[in-house]
Amino acid sequence: MNNQSNPDPLTWHKILASDELPDGRVKTVTAGNHNLAVSRVGDAYGALDNRCPHQGGPLGEGTIEVPGCVARGTGTTTTRSRGSRRAV
């Protein structure tokens, strides 16, 4: 039984079409009552809470950065909220 006040925690939500988010971009979307920042790098997509844990800014209005050593091919993808330092 699915009660509206207590929805199934495993419910899937369509948040955007696969061609709606260009490569290297981030966008704010809503899934149920959660605001998420969705990012795309190549064919990989990621989603996380839309609030920067450091400064509270909206990550979905930021940019994607890939820090690390280019020569060694290391690095991780981060999202930077507009007007804040590196967020995650």
Side-chain angles (χ1 to χ4, degrees):
M1 179 187 280
N2 190 359
N3 183 341
Q4 288 289 41
S5 64
N6 187 16
D8 181 356
L10 300 178
T11 299
W12 287 88
H13 297 273
K14 181 174 181 174
I15 55 174
L16 50 82
S18 61
D19 62 350
E20 192 176 341
L21 186 60
D23 186 18
R25 300 300 303 251
V26 62
K27 178 178 183 168
T28 300
V29 299
T30 301
N33 59 1
H34 299 281
N35 287 322
L36 303 170
V38 177
S39 61
R40 176 181 174 197
V41 178
D43 291 332
Y45 291 82
L48 50 104
D49 186 64
N50 192 38
R51 185 171 174 86
C52 170
H54 304 107
Q55 295 186 350
L59 295 176
E61 295 178 16
T63 60
I64 297 174
E65 298 180 5
V66 183
C69 178
V70 176
R72 290 184 297 176
T74 63
T76 58
T77 302
T78 63
T79 303
R80 180 179 286 206
S81 177
R82 196 170 38 176
S84 73
R85 292 181 228 138
R86 184 165 293 130
V88 174

